[in-house]
Amino acid sequence: MMLTLAGTPNASSAPPQHAPENLNPLLEPLRQKYDLPALAGAIVTSKGLVAVGAVGVRKYGGNIPVTVNDQFHLGSDTKAMTATMLATLVEEHKLNWDTTLDQFFPEVAATMNPAYRKVTLEQLLAHRSGFTDYSWPKGKDFYDMHKLPGTPREQRAAYVAAVLSEAPVNQPGSQYLYSNRNFAVAGAIAEKVANDSWENLMQKRIFDPLGMQSCGFGAMGTPGKIDEPLQHMVVLLGHRAIPPGPEADNPPAIAPAATVHCSVIDWGKFISAHLRGEQGQPGILKPETFKRLHTPPFGGFYAFGWLVADREWAGGRALNHAGSNNQNFAIVWAAPLKDFAVLVMTNQGGGETFTACDTTAAALIAHFEKK
């Protein structure tokens, strides 16, 4: 559904039961307080969009306003999307949660560290593989990963071979350690079993079925233009705008962990799908599969792209995740027992960005509770 800045549906949209509330009056004071270039937020339920807003400008100091249709970067909130896509393959019996890495990647068996051979897909998606939290292979950096040859799928295959050859930092399966490596390898697993790129699988299995038309990968916008919000970093001299380009985001090797961008409305469609699953409604997955994605498989607090916590305002179990590529920030809090979620996005990283988005999320929760 396309909306104007004020939150009014355009003529081509399917008419909602009620027009979404305009959150701009709530968002703008917070954007000004924390000196953000732009700030977007939404409240959704299992029925869809309840409220939405976007305030500020695409480039700090500029005069092109953002809209609720503008794209913001999700960072590690991509992980829940990758896990959901993998779950569609599990439901089709193309892979299993307990299939092991030596079964997925027999071609690297000779160089794979033996400790990883029996690591399961489920352990990857719960960050219990034994991988280090350093994203790049030993002796390599961000720029080395951008220089990998071949297609994104070929780059991920090379990345998988490299990280699986290294020794784990703890006994696989023994403890939680957050690592982008886990979801990069999981994305490569999907590519092998479906014989398609992760990008195509996300489009076909998540974005298209949910009508998420604004989704893409990497930095938002067109080089040389300001047709989407520019990414920003807080530096000593103030806000530095980062133009889109090949090295303006995470490399394709770890794309399944942290490269999706989309509008706040389209992100809300994905979160609403998860809430519908919690309400027992079938969708792109069976309700029981959605609930499995929200349940830590080995105890603790992490489940398939979600942090699981107990919050009074949520009536108990709450789902949370934040994401940043250091030039944007996005955070979601969902309350399945009360059937609502709040989403916040900004095109800035560093400084007080986390505090700004967390405070905004709290304000959206309080706003919804007053209804």
Side-chain angles (χ1 to χ4, degrees), residues 148-158 191 197-199 252-255:
L148 286 173
T151 65
R153 182 177 173 184
E154 290 168 339
Q155 292 178 45
R156 282 187 284 272
E191 292 178 323
S197 71
W198 170 79
E199 290 83 359
I254 65 164

Side-chain angles (χ1 to χ4, degrees), residues 6 43 67 100 121 133 221 235 256 265 294 328 330 336:
I43 303 172
T67 76
T100 56
L121 174 61
D133 58 0
V235 295
I265 292 175
H294 304 157
N328 305 267

Side-chain angles (χ1 to χ4, degrees), residues 138-149:
K138 188 175 181 179
K140 304 296 183 180
D141 62 19
F142 171 91
Y143 298 102
D144 292 325
M145 293 298 99
H146 270 291
K147 295 174 184 176
L148 286 173

Side-chain angles (χ1 to χ4, degrees), residues 27-319:
L27 296 174
E28 178 59 17
L30 290 164
R31 186 198 67 80
Q32 291 185 24
K33 177 180 178 179
Y34 291 101
D35 197 22
L36 302 172
L39 182 65
I43 303 172
V44 300
T45 70
S46 62
K47 296 180 180 179
L49 189 67
V50 172
V52 67
V55 295
V57 290
R58 290 176 174 173
K59 180 180 181 181
Y60 188 88
N63 59 8
I64 303 177
V66 296
T67 76
V68 293
N69 298 306
D70 278 5
Q71 300 164 350
F72 291 83
H73 198 279
L74 291 178
S76 286
D77 293 307
T78 299
K79 290 180 171 68
M81 294 180 171
T82 294
T84 302
M85 181 271 287
L86 281 156
T88 67
L89 295 169
V90 172
E91 285 195 347
E92 294 172 10
H93 305 291
K94 293 182 178 178
L95 54 80
N96 297 307
W97 297 120
D98 59 359
T99 305
T100 56
L101 292 184
D102 59 352
Q103 295 172 286
F104 285 128
F105 301 112
E107 71 277 11
V108 298
T111 57
M112 183 187 300
N113 187 291
Y116 293 127
R117 289 176 181 166
K118 299 306 175 185
V119 168
T120 66
L121 174 61
E122 190 171 56
Q123 287 173 329
L124 289 173
L125 299 180
H127 293 295
R128 289 177 177 265
S129 64
F131 283 138
T132 174
D133 58 0
Y134 186 67
S135 294
W136 320 124
K138 188 175 181 179
K140 304 296 183 180
D141 62 19
F142 171 91
Y143 298 102
D144 292 325
M145 293 298 99
H146 270 291
K147 295 174 184 176
L148 286 173
T151 65
R153 182 177 173 184
E154 290 168 339
Q155 292 178 45
R156 282 187 284 272
Y159 178 86
V160 167
V163 299
L164 289 182
S165 71
E166 298 179 16
V169 296
N170 56 57
Q171 180 64 34
S174 66
Q175 58 185 285
Y176 166 88
L177 181 61
Y178 189 93
S179 175
N180 286 326
R181 295 184 180 209
N182 287 302
F183 278 76
V185 173
I189 288 171
E191 292 178 323
K192 286 206 66 178
V193 300
N195 192 27
D196 203 352
S197 71
W198 170 79
E199 290 83 359
N200 285 344
L201 292 170
M202 293 293 284
Q203 191 69 49
K204 296 173 183 177
R205 291 174 173 269
I206 303 298
F207 303 154
D208 288 347
L210 294 177
M212 299 169 66
Q213 298 178 0
S214 68
C215 292
F217 310 98
M220 309 86 72
T222 307
K225 298 182 179 180
I226 308 179
D227 52 355
E228 295 290 347
L230 295 184
Q231 306 180 114
H232 292 77
M233 295 181 68
V234 176
V235 295
L236 291 177
L237 298 179
H239 298 72
R240 177 188 171 198
I242 311 295
E247 294 182 355
D249 190 30
N250 293 310
I254 65 164
T259 59
V260 170
H261 64 244
C262 66
S263 71
V264 70
I265 292 175
D266 278 349
W267 192 22
K269 293 174 183 177
F270 175 76
I271 303 303
S272 287
H274 278 256
L275 290 173
R276 285 194 293 276
E278 284 281 348
Q279 300 302 311
Q281 302 172 31
I284 57 173
L285 294 171
K286 299 174 183 177
E288 56 267 33
T289 304
F290 274 118
K291 292 179 180 179
R292 179 165 188 163
L293 292 177
H294 304 157
T295 304
F298 305 104
F301 54 84
Y302 198 91
F304 305 93
W306 295 98
L307 291 159
V308 183
D310 189 78
R311 292 291 185 271
E312 184 177 353
W313 59 263
R317 181 169 56 97
L319 305 174

Side-chain angles (χ1 to χ4, degrees), residues 43-45 275 313 333-336 338-342 365 368-369:
I43 303 172
V44 300
T45 70
L275 290 173
W313 59 263
W333 278 96
K338 291 191 175 181
D339 189 24
F340 83 99
V342 301
I365 292 167
F368 182 82
E369 288 183 318

